[in-house]
Amino acid sequence: MTIGERRARGVARILISEAEIQRRIRELAAELDRIYGTDTPLMVGVLNGAVAFMTDLMRAMTVPLEIDFMAISSYGAATKSSGVVQILKDLNQVIEGRRVLVVEDIVDSGLTLQYLLDSLERRNPAEIRVVALLKKEKPDAIEVNVDQIGFTIPDEFVVGYGLDFAGQYRNLPYVAVLDPSLIEEF
Ligand code: IMP
Ligand code: MG
């Protein structure tokens, strides 16, 4: 990290470097290329957090694909999931009969993903797979299916590479932990 970069203000330590993220994305993309073969999947990105991951992942994949986005209510400046989930923006496309790949930034309690998967399953896609960049090691998380995980991380609040704190830090090219005093201010 370059200290003094304004976007990195409050970052205490880098958990996953840019190089590690990019290397793992190439592995995930190669697996996905094999999985989809001659099919054309529809990648569904979950706004806003999955944007960084999705744009890198889709460009590392070589199969033809389509993209769409959903937005789910976030928990604002809070660092804990409220469990109350709402669709703020739905898909533009019909997914009936399609192979759908949900792209998530992080699975924490699992509530957001569970809600999203229930909603998508009701639309009768041919298949739903889930790829998440991060999954927190959380014993009390609900059981939700994630087919591919980039990295498993400890149960800490993280920012960067799409993940925000109070709307910021999404443009860090790495995943980092914030100075705890900064979080307590909220
Ligand atoms: P869940 O419903 O608890 O699984 O939370 C999922 C959503 O909460 C993710 O898609 C993120 O947008 C957000 N989130 C969970 N943990 C973190 C974190 O450590 N940093 C930033 N956002 C997080
Ligand atoms: Mg998210």
Side-chain angles (χ1 to χ4, degrees):
M1 171 186 29
T2 320
I3 310 291
E5 254 184 24
R6 284 202 298 128
R7 66 179 177 179
R9 190 185 147 269
V11 166
R13 95 193 125 85
I14 295 176
L15 199 64
I16 311 169
S17 72
E18 182 173 5
E20 284 175 282
I21 293 171
Q22 296 304 329
R23 177 159 33 84
R24 185 72 182 114
I25 284 176
R26 286 193 293 274
E27 289 174 0
L28 294 170
E31 286 169 25
L32 287 164
D33 279 345
R34 279 196 296 278
I35 286 162
Y36 291 113
T38 56
D39 290 339
T40 303
L42 176 67
M43 285 173 91
V44 171
V46 185
L47 297 172
N48 296 329
V51 162
F53 179 43
M54 172 125 156
T55 54
D56 282 345
L57 182 66
M58 72 180 195
R59 284 176 295 173
M61 290 168 67
T62 61
V63 292
L65 55 82
E66 292 174 30
I67 65 168
D68 205 340
F69 293 96
M70 278 180 92
I72 304 287
S73 58
S74 73
Y75 27 103
T79 57
K80 292 239 157 50
S81 192
S82 61
V84 180
V85 182
Q86 215 187 333
I87 294 179
L88 302 177
K89 184 229 170 282
D90 209 335
L91 296 175
N92 294 334
Q93 312 212 28
V94 174
I95 62 168
E96 189 170 348
R98 299 286 312 258
R99 295 185 78 179
V100 173
L101 175 63
V102 174
V103 183
E104 255 288 27
D105 50 0
I106 187 166
V107 180
D108 184 4
S109 69
L111 288 165
T112 305
L113 183 58
Q114 185 61 262
Y115 182 89
L116 193 89
L117 291 177
D118 288 345
S119 168
L120 294 177
E121 259 149 28
R122 284 196 293 272
R123 308 174 197 196
N124 298 318
E127 177 195 71
I128 304 180
R129 293 184 58 87
V130 179
V131 58
L133 177 71
L134 305 172
K135 179 150 190 339
K136 281 192 195 170
E137 250 165 11
K138 209 166 194 172
D140 58 346
I142 61 167
E143 286 245 347
V144 55
N145 178 57
V146 184
D147 301 282
Q148 284 164 290
I149 296 168
F151 302 90
T152 302
I153 62 167
D155 188 11
E156 278 187 281
F157 189 78
V158 293
V159 296
Y161 200 69
L163 292 155
D164 76 304
F165 174 62
Q168 292 191 26
Y169 301 101
R170 293 194 199 274
N171 61 327
L172 293 174
Y174 46 77
V175 173
V177 177
L178 287 181
D179 180 345
S181 65
L182 206 136
I183 294 173
E184 281 151 25
E185 280 169 30
F186 273 78

